[in-house]
Amino acid sequence: MKYTCKTKQNEEHLSNTVKFLKAVSDENRLKIICFLNAGERCVCEIVDFLGLSQNLVSHHLKVLRKQNVLKTRKDGAKVFYSIYDGQVKDNIKFFSSLILKS
Amino acid sequence: MKYTCKTKQNEEHLSNTVKFLKAVSDENRLKIICFLNAGERCVCEIVDFLGLSQNLVSHHLKVLRKQNVLKTRKDGAKVFYSIYDGQVKDNIKFFSSLILKS
DNA sequence: CATATATATCAATATATATTGATATATTAA
DNA sequence: TTAATATATCAATATATATTGATATATATG
């Protein structure tokens, strides 16, 4: 199934891919992703790791969560973030198919 | 070789990845990439395809070229753009390794 | 219950980037 | 040589987004 850049469905797929790419194309957010590659972490651990303010980290996490790059699990007062592997894999695969010859 | 987010070299690698992702995370630029997937095209063809002003297209092409997403070949008055497959493949591979468990 | 901890949100500002309009440069054609 | 075509660049503006500071909410602890 070749991408044609023409149909409505593909337009939408492309639009979603742009949103995904925008979400991950930020230095701090890529560091978060890198940190979470080893497994889930709560927000305070991510704050410590990055050395950024809590509200700023919370903002970046929100951006990643909105695009389903990350998912969350609440445990008491803590919220654990982890990579939403399935969604991410699909996005990378589609992006890759757009840019590289199949 | 696991990514640690710690060494200077990896910091730089990550920084390059962010630049690559920023370059491709734009709707018009992703459409250009999609269009060029079939093969090289001159600027005027890309302008026709996108239906955008020539100067704006030229700007987007410059962004993609700067990050080695695209390469160029000049032929007379025309400049042909095409996807720089090798560079792109490397970037996607590294990005993928950051975000997905190996 | 009062306090501390963890996280999210909101408004304001700073910064980066997309877009537009005008113009410059190079190449081809008449 | 003049005009037309192809592409790039520059300045100005609009828009999106990162960052900061303050505050709200929810949970845990003494």
Side-chain angles (χ1 to χ4, degrees):
Chain A
M1 180 178 45
K2 198 78 188 76
Y3 188 79
T4 62
C5 290
K6 292 294 171 193
T7 71
K8 270 292 162 209
Q9 197 188 0
N10 282 340
E11 285 283 340
E12 200 176 314
H13 206 167
L14 189 139
S15 169
N16 284 333
T17 303
V18 169
K19 286 176 193 163
F20 166 73
L21 292 170
K22 277 187 192 296
V24 297
S25 61
D26 173 274
E27 182 127 19
N28 288 325
R29 293 200 285 270
L30 211 53
K31 282 180 183 172
I32 290 173
I33 286 167
C34 168
F35 186 53
L36 294 181
N37 191 295
E40 66 168 19
R41 305 280 179 181
C42 69
V43 178
C44 58
E45 289 176 303
I46 299 169
V47 168
D48 286 348
F49 172 71
L50 291 179
L52 298 176
S53 64
Q54 179 270 318
N55 52 354
L56 181 53
V57 171
S58 197
H59 159 72
H60 286 308
L61 289 172
K62 189 178 182 179
V63 171
L64 290 169
R65 184 148 147 52
K66 190 179 178 201
Q67 289 312 312
N68 289 322
V69 177
L70 303 183
K71 55 184 164 61
T72 57
R73 179 179 70 83
K74 194 170 185 183
D75 183 8
K78 293 188 177 178
V79 177
F80 288 87
Y81 281 80
S82 58
I83 295 171
Y84 201 154
D85 289 298
Q87 298 288 322
V88 166
K89 197 172 290 186
D90 287 349
N91 275 306
I92 293 180
K93 189 175 289 183
F94 181 70
F95 168 56
S96 189
S97 79
L98 280 188
I99 197 167
L100 293 173
K101 291 178 192 69
S102 43
Chain B
M1 180 178 46
K2 198 82 186 74
Y3 189 80
T4 62
C5 290
K6 291 296 174 191
T7 70
K8 270 292 161 208
Q9 196 189 0
N10 281 341
E11 285 282 342
E12 201 176 313
H13 206 165
L14 189 139
S15 169
N16 284 333
T17 303
V18 170
K19 286 175 192 163
F20 166 74
L21 292 170
K22 277 187 193 297
V24 297
S25 62
D26 173 273
E27 182 127 17
N28 289 324
R29 292 198 287 269
L30 211 52
K31 282 180 184 171
I32 290 173
I33 286 166
C34 168
F35 186 53
L36 294 180
N37 191 293
E40 68 169 17
R41 303 281 178 181
C42 69
V43 179
C44 57
E45 288 176 304
I46 300 169
V47 168
D48 286 347
F49 172 71
L50 291 179
L52 298 176
S53 63
Q54 179 269 318
N55 55 350
L56 181 53
V57 171
S58 198
H59 160 71
H60 285 308
L61 289 172
K62 189 179 182 180
V63 171
L64 291 169
R65 182 147 148 54
K66 189 179 178 199
Q67 289 312 313
N68 288 323
V69 177
L70 303 182
K71 55 184 163 62
T72 58
R73 178 180 72 83
K74 194 169 186 185
D75 183 9
K78 294 187 176 179
V79 177
F80 288 87
Y81 281 78
S82 58
I83 294 172
Y84 201 155
D85 289 298
Q87 298 288 321
V88 166
K89 198 171 288 186
D90 288 349
N91 275 305
I92 293 180
K93 190 175 287 184
F94 182 69
F95 169 56
S96 188
S97 79
L98 280 187
I99 197 168
L100 294 173
K101 290 178 194 69
S102 45

